[in-house]
Amino acid sequence: MSEILITGTGLYTPANSVTNAELVDSLGRANERWNAEHKQEIESGELEERDMPSERFIERASGIGHRYVVEKEGLLDPGRLRPRLPTRGEGELSIQAEICLEAAQEALAQAGRKGAEIDAIIVGCSNLQRAYPAVAIEVQQALGATGFAYDMNVACSSATFAIQNAVDAVRAGSARCALVLNPEITSGHNNFELREFHFIFGDACTATVIEPEASANAGESWSVVGTRLATKFSNNIRNDAGFLNRSEETARDPHELLFRQNGRQVFYDVCPMVAEHIRSHLSDAGIAIGDVKRLWLHQANLGMNVTIARTLLGRDPEPEEAPVILDEYANTSSAGSVIAFHKHRDGLEVGDEAVLCSFGAGYSVGSILLRKRSD
Ligand code: COA
């Protein structure tokens, strides 16, 4: 049977760069204002004072130094703390479709494909800007693609779950050439009002082309040796924004309608789950961990990635073995591991084996075993 290949990847990076210092400054000013406005309730013990954020904490606790966002003035405005995006009409391309196209162009160029040759598009991300029609179908039309397109959401694991769907569709013959897109506008659902969350995320979009070896063009390609997904329910990462909010009897606390997490518990629960997931996937595929040349892991926390790599390798990873993009991009949700793959795959030889792995809310974990097939 023909192997299934990744023949191209693409990345859209927003033009607006936001440093930790800028975020800490805007939230610090917002907190001073909030504390002054709620002085009486704080003094009477009704409300707790909002503590000041710190750059040192952010870098030490997460490894995040910086992020890119689709709009920065609104989210840095202490009186607003969320992006300011113009409303687009039905005749205009939606913003998620627009960033998908940016990432798609690069991935298609790498694969030597035209939009019209794509016959399956899967948009996977943590939040979709509307319920329907699917963003993927809008992208399908804009690219002149054929076949079918749909949206899906498995939070930070959306890319690997979508890649498995695409691989399965191509292997089964229900698609000839699939495109997976991960338009993560995390700044729209990040909580910039609370210091425990305001630094976590950044925006980006990734694209991946998947097709069978038999019809792939020449150029760099990666064989998909195997895919494996797993889920286990947890409330430790949660966002309650949804279509039933307006029908619920009790008004929600606004903080429940954005990303929230019990980060420390996530760290403790997810690291062993991911290490065991990768270990058993490699073992079942007959690949020794010592032969794995690169781990492109989800980018949420530097400590998490070092812990997972250390558990697998039995030693600290060399920087190039488990590449980090978190310092520059922050957590870009499902796009993170694909950004690491897109930017850090130089130096591998034909035949080298590697793992792309995402993890996050659900809990969810997805691993894609890859072997370099051609340069
Ligand atoms: N600046 C200063 N202090 C801060 C702060 C900030 N921006 N954010 C939190 N703190 C404080 C906390 O309020 C807490 O204070 P307290 O001890 O007085 O209560 C203290 O720092 C420690 O907070 P904690 O949440 O325990 O820190 P942590 O070491 O667990 O780091 C994360 C927080 C989020 C960086 C870390 O838990 C993490 O990355 N977890 C992985 C989960 C993840 O990223 N998931 C995303 C989806 S996969």
Side-chain angles (χ1 to χ4, degrees), residues 52-54 57-58 61-62 156 195-196 198-200 237 259 261 263-264 266-267 298 300-301 304 331 359-360:
M52 292 300 144
S54 122
F57 171 87
I58 296 170
S62 70
C156 290
R195 72 172 186 168
E196 58 265 47
H198 77 130
F199 60 90
I200 290 180
I237 312 173
F259 166 89
Q261 71 169 348
R264 187 150 288 213
V266 172
F267 198 110
H298 174 51
N301 178 296
M304 269 181 124
N331 181 345
F359 39 88

Side-chain angles (χ1 to χ4, degrees), residues 136-349:
I137 303 176
E138 194 182 356
V139 175
Q140 177 192 30
Q141 171 173 276
L143 281 177
T146 60
F148 62 90
Y150 63 90
D151 296 343
M152 56 176 274
N153 177 359
V154 197
C156 290
S157 293
S158 297
T160 53
F161 278 57
I163 288 172
Q164 174 169 299
N165 281 5
V167 166
D168 289 349
V170 170
R171 183 174 285 126
S174 52
R176 285 187 307 270
C177 189
L179 178 64
V180 168
L181 298 160
N182 314 106
E184 292 289 5
I185 306 185
T186 61
S187 55
H189 58 95
N190 192 20
N191 192 337
F192 292 99
E193 285 183 38
L194 297 182
R195 72 172 186 168
E196 58 265 47
F197 304 135
H198 77 130
F199 60 90
I200 290 180
F201 288 108
D203 300 339
C205 180
T206 46
T208 308
V209 176
I210 290 146
E211 53 186 319
E213 183 181 31
S215 54
N217 290 316
E220 185 190 336
S221 63
W222 296 80
S223 300
V224 178
V225 176
T227 64
R228 180 170 291 181
L229 313 179
T231 49
K232 183 173 187 275
F233 188 72
S234 167
N235 280 317
N236 283 325
I237 312 173
R238 193 165 170 121
N239 181 338
D240 280 284
F243 78 101
L244 290 180
N245 293 147
R246 62 189 284 275
S247 308
E248 288 173 333
E249 291 281 6
T250 312
R252 292 269 184 180
D253 176 337
H255 295 310
E256 290 178 5
L257 304 181
L258 295 169
F259 166 89
R260 65 188 193 278
Q261 71 169 348
N262 180 356
R264 187 150 288 213
Q265 195 57 45
V266 172
F267 198 110
Y268 290 136
D269 292 346
V270 171
C271 289
M273 181 179 169
V274 172
E276 177 51 25
H277 180 94
I278 296 175
R279 192 205 58 73
S280 66
H281 193 188
L282 286 168
S283 165
D284 293 348
I287 299 172
I289 182 65
D291 290 338
V292 172
K293 294 290 187 298
R294 211 150 287 186
L295 293 165
W296 295 292
L297 299 176
H298 174 51
Q299 307 278 318
N301 178 296
L302 182 59
M304 269 181 124
N305 289 18
V306 171
T307 302
I308 292 164
R310 193 188 286 142
T311 307
L312 285 166
L313 301 170
R315 58 173 170 80
D316 280 351
E318 296 298 330
E320 65 277 10
E321 283 180 304
V324 174
I325 55 102
L326 188 63
D327 48 345
E328 182 184 355
Y329 281 81
N331 181 345
T332 53
S333 195
S334 68
S337 55
V338 184
I339 299 176
F341 174 52
H342 178 77
K343 290 178 85 85
H344 294 281
R345 59 182 192 245
D346 286 353
L348 296 187
E349 312 274 331

Side-chain angles (χ1 to χ4, degrees), residues 73-96:
E73 305 307 328
L75 74 84
L76 288 180
D77 174 353
R80 182 176 170 91
L81 298 180
R82 59 186 194 279
R84 184 173 279 116
L85 301 176
T87 307
R88 297 189 183 190
E90 285 182 15
E92 293 176 280
L93 197 65
S94 66
I95 184 164
Q96 275 188 313

